[in-house]
Amino acid sequence: MIEAIIFDFGDVFINLDHDATPKALKELGLKEWNEELHQLNQKYEIGKIDEFTFMTGIQKFIPNAELVDIRSAWNAILLDFPLKRLEFLQMLSSKYKLFLLSNTDATHIEKFEHQLGMSFAREFYGCFEKVYFSFEFGFRKPDENAFKFVINNHNLIPKKTLFVDDKLENIEAAKKLELQTWHLQVGKEEVTDLFNRI
């Protein structure tokens, strides 16, 4: 019997275009996304560095690009958030304890809130007992500490908790902690199909 559900954010609720940011950065002159940039991104996603440090870190590899253009390219990944997903979530929140667990950064969240409006964002956040963004609490999936943090903070019973994510590595990490899982297939499945899974 499922009592609680932990959701991922990107490609579960908000649609993403994973090719858009690399393409936009390439247009600004970035030759390749290298290991230094990967490490920089990881630090930014767990709040170890601020936005300015992150953006200037990228700018080092594309010195002719303006920071505002780099920021815009970084946010190109974010697409729409279908209203039916919010309505489904609102209905679900009366039946289960819901949590959001997302690997994300301050830039993307600010863009999401601006793009869809704060009233929409507040309605979305209001569906959850607690929202966990990696840049705010310092852990990112698939680190098992990210899951343990949520489980322990809310006294969740893993076997009675469902974790929904589109990335297999995160699903596998959750399974090791005995969480129930749904590996959502983007483009083939909808989060609104959840009741078919429970």
Side-chain angles (χ1 to χ4, degrees):
M1 180 72 183
I2 298 297
E3 295 175 353
I5 308 171
I6 304 169
F7 288 102
D8 178 35
F9 183 32
D11 271 335
V12 173
F13 293 111
I14 192 168
N15 289 322
L16 303 178
D17 180 349
H18 293 277
D19 296 328
T21 287
K23 184 169 176 271
L25 288 170
K26 191 176 180 182
E27 284 169 4
L28 291 176
L30 185 67
K31 289 186 170 58
E32 64 167 354
W33 187 260
N34 58 39
E35 184 58 27
E36 187 176 332
L37 288 171
H38 174 71
Q39 293 300 328
L40 197 70
N41 183 25
Q42 299 265 309
K43 283 182 186 172
Y44 189 37
E45 270 198 354
I46 56 169
K48 294 285 188 200
I49 56 173
D50 62 15
E51 182 183 78
F52 182 74
T53 306
F54 178 61
M55 295 298 167
T56 52
I58 297 175
Q59 192 182 41
K60 194 171 90 175
F61 294 93
I62 35 176
N64 295 326
E66 299 289 337
L67 286 177
V68 66
D69 295 325
I70 294 171
R71 192 177 198 272
S72 178
W74 187 247
N75 280 329
I77 187 174
L78 302 175
L79 297 177
D80 62 315
F81 187 137
L83 184 61
K84 68 175 181 178
R85 293 178 188 166
L86 176 62
E87 291 168 344
F88 171 74
L89 200 57
Q90 288 169 328
M91 182 266 292
L92 202 65
S93 66
S94 64
K95 297 180 171 68
Y96 300 92
K97 289 181 179 177
L98 305 182
F99 302 90
L100 192 69
L101 179 59
S102 173
N103 292 349
T104 190
D105 58 59
T107 307
H108 283 156
I109 294 307
E110 190 181 311
K111 175 67 175 177
F112 156 67
E113 292 173 353
H114 179 73
Q115 190 169 293
L116 285 136
M118 271 314 296
S119 61
F120 184 97
R122 270 195 292 268
E123 280 192 56
F124 175 60
Y125 298 150
C127 295
F128 301 100
E129 303 245 337
K130 180 79 175 164
V131 170
Y132 290 98
F133 291 137
S134 59
F135 75 95
E136 291 179 329
F137 80 113
F139 299 110
R140 65 186 303 285
K141 302 168 292 185
D143 182 348
E144 67 176 35
N145 289 312
F147 299 100
K148 285 179 176 176
F149 195 91
V150 180
I151 291 164
N152 295 337
N153 257 13
H154 302 279
N155 299 313
L156 301 180
I157 300 164
K159 288 181 178 177
K160 293 184 178 182
T161 303
L162 177 68
F163 173 63
V164 181
D165 200 295
D166 63 301
K167 289 195 170 61
L168 184 60
E169 65 196 48
N170 298 337
I171 292 292
E172 287 173 346
K175 280 181 178 173
K176 285 177 186 168
L177 297 171
E178 300 192 320
L179 287 158
Q180 304 294 319
T181 61
W182 175 19
H183 181 209
L184 189 143
Q185 307 294 310
V186 180
K188 295 178 183 175
E189 296 175 310
E190 260 289 334
V191 70
T192 53
D193 301 330
L194 184 74
F195 286 128
N196 301 333
R197 312 288 309 190
I198 295 179

